[in-house]
Amino acid sequence: MIVEKSTSALAELEELKRSLGNGSAKILRALRVLSKSKLTDAGQLIRFHEMLLFFRAYPPSTKVLKQIESILKTFVKRISHLRDTDVDLSPLDDPEVSGIAGTSVTSNFSYTIVCWLVAKYPKQLSIDWDWFEEEDRFGAMMPRFLPLLEEEAMVEAHVPYRDWLRAAKGRKNEVGWLIGQFESLGVPEHLKAELYDSLKLHVTWRFGFRSSRTGMKLAQPKIFFHDQPLIQRRDISLSVELSSLPIPIREVSRALGAKILDLARETSAVRYRELHGFTYGDSRRVLQASLGRGTEAFVIGVPPEHRLSLRAYHATLIFKNGVPVAYFEGLSLFERMESGFNLYYTFRDGETAWLYARILRLMRQLLGVTVFSIEPYQIGHENEEGIESGAFWFYRKLGFRPVRPELMKLTLSEEQKIATKRDYRTSARTLRRLAAGHLLFEMDVSGSYASDLSLSMGEGVSEWDHFAVRNLGLAVQRRMSQEFNSEAARIRAASVKFVKRALGLRSDRWREAELNALENLALVLAMIRGIERWSADEKQLAAQIIRAKGRGDEARYLRLIQQHTKLRAGIIALGS
């Protein structure tokens, strides 16, 4: 009877999750039943946990929120009970639901993230030796830190490395001791990272409650209660949203910026993930944007040494009533942004379209971007999760269009079938075909977007339709092969020399990061015809662009590059 009640309450709670706005009484009743139940199946416990997190982000009332917070605090004991009764807990390791309090994650985290974990949570870390496979690399590396190890490592087939490490570290944590040895190497940070990462060590993190998805929450001064139905995708016009009133934005203190970065790394690590902007984020370059409806977005920049060569990079962590619900990654060049939006699995029944539209509005406001590109992976290319979720139609119904003619034709055909056949659903096979090319949403100067009328036969209407940053990189490789005997050092030196002469640059007082930016941008600038004939103003603007890439916030670099029409035309031509 108890099991039946629990199963029924779970089903009811799932249904109520999809129909918010009808009061709290039924939700509270289901929560009371489940709070008293000792769920004995890992799958059911996961379902319960994810629904609790959903209602924590989208609470209909104060009573529901208080009940949820109380139940979430019991999950360490619930997990411990299942473990003690030999219940199979392997479902808890799935990346979609990992990170529940009372569990752990094991992954070959990058050197930077392991250093951060050692600094924050040294006692919660260990090496999972069951995953250890790189014995040869370990044997070649560790004599630096373990005197006389080479006596065995150079001639023995099966060296007991754990014994050596255990003897050397004494009472110190093995992960902390090992990272300390790498930190002591007198080489640049990127070389330390390369050496450590080559070992492919799997580190286990037994995180505490506050670092778990169960307990992770940013303090929210005011909760937005959802006592009305949620905003649906059909209620959202992306073109209208992009032209809406400005979003309130403020710079945060370095201390809060560091806290947000800690949360960003935690919410990624417990899901076995890393994101460039979170791993290498700069606590001095964090902005907070209030999107409305209890949603706060923190936009994070990266320091010059971790920037991309051409595109501006920004990452965003998004909180709903203090709960991390999604992240966004924007890679921008001129007015075009490649956008990667990832809503965490738990919150996919929430206000996804509204949230995505608000993030794009924020990016337009901060960075001046008006063209948004979706890469094939995002909609299902070699990504079955994207196929199963119907990601293509999520973006299509917001106004995105395929840029490849044959895919535009297929899209229009599918839309016709959907409109005329009541029960028609696009097959997975067709979705895979549609995911073969990228999607584009482009605003014009009036604030609207390119229509499909001229695209029915697949004719592109945008200068960006056939552009790809990869094409720029491949063009540089071909030039290196044809003119510089495939030698990277030669093409770099020649490109810098040519660009400095063409633009009249004097870089003797430039910072190292600015010189690095020059070296990278020169590879492309040197391939644009006629830059030596640019006007004095155009050359001066180009110099400002190069220096901005290596200093300050990349938003300035992006705003400057958007002003250079000849540079824009040259790069689009090279990349198309």
Side-chain angles (χ1 to χ4, degrees), residues 426-460:
T426 302
S427 68
R429 182 168 178 264
T430 300
L431 286 173
R432 291 188 189 97
R433 291 173 60 193
L434 290 169
H438 70 274
L439 305 179
L440 211 64
F441 184 103
E442 183 175 22
M443 295 183 64
D444 63 25
V445 291
S446 66
S448 61
Y449 66 97
S451 73
D452 292 335
L453 296 179
S454 60
L455 300 169
S456 58
M457 299 308 294
E459 296 297 326

Side-chain angles (χ1 to χ4, degrees), residues 442-487:
E442 183 175 22
M443 295 183 64
D444 63 25
V445 291
S446 66
S448 61
Y449 66 97
S451 73
D452 292 335
L453 296 179
S454 60
L455 300 169
S456 58
M457 299 308 294
E459 296 297 326
V461 297
S462 169
E463 296 173 278
W464 294 106
D465 273 13
H466 305 295
F467 177 85
V469 170
R470 181 177 297 161
N471 292 339
L472 296 174
L474 294 176
V476 170
Q477 308 316 305
R478 287 191 291 270
R479 180 174 181 241
M480 181 175 71
S481 171
Q482 294 164 7
E483 301 179 27
F484 299 95
N485 195 34
S486 300
E487 296 178 27

Side-chain angles (χ1 to χ4, degrees), residues 77-98:
K77 289 184 178 179
R78 289 174 179 268
I79 295 294
S80 179
H81 173 72
L82 294 186
R83 187 177 289 113
D84 292 343
T85 53
D86 293 327
V87 172
D88 179 16
L89 297 181
S90 61
L92 298 170
D93 296 328
D94 188 311
E96 294 285 13
V97 297
S98 61

Side-chain angles (χ1 to χ4, degrees), residues 11 135 184-185 229 233 258 261 281 304 319 349 365 411 458 463 540:
E135 289 194 17
S184 69
L185 292 175
R233 182 173 57 191
L261 277 173
F319 295 84
D349 287 327
Q365 180 177 329
T411 298
E463 296 173 278
Q540 183 180 14

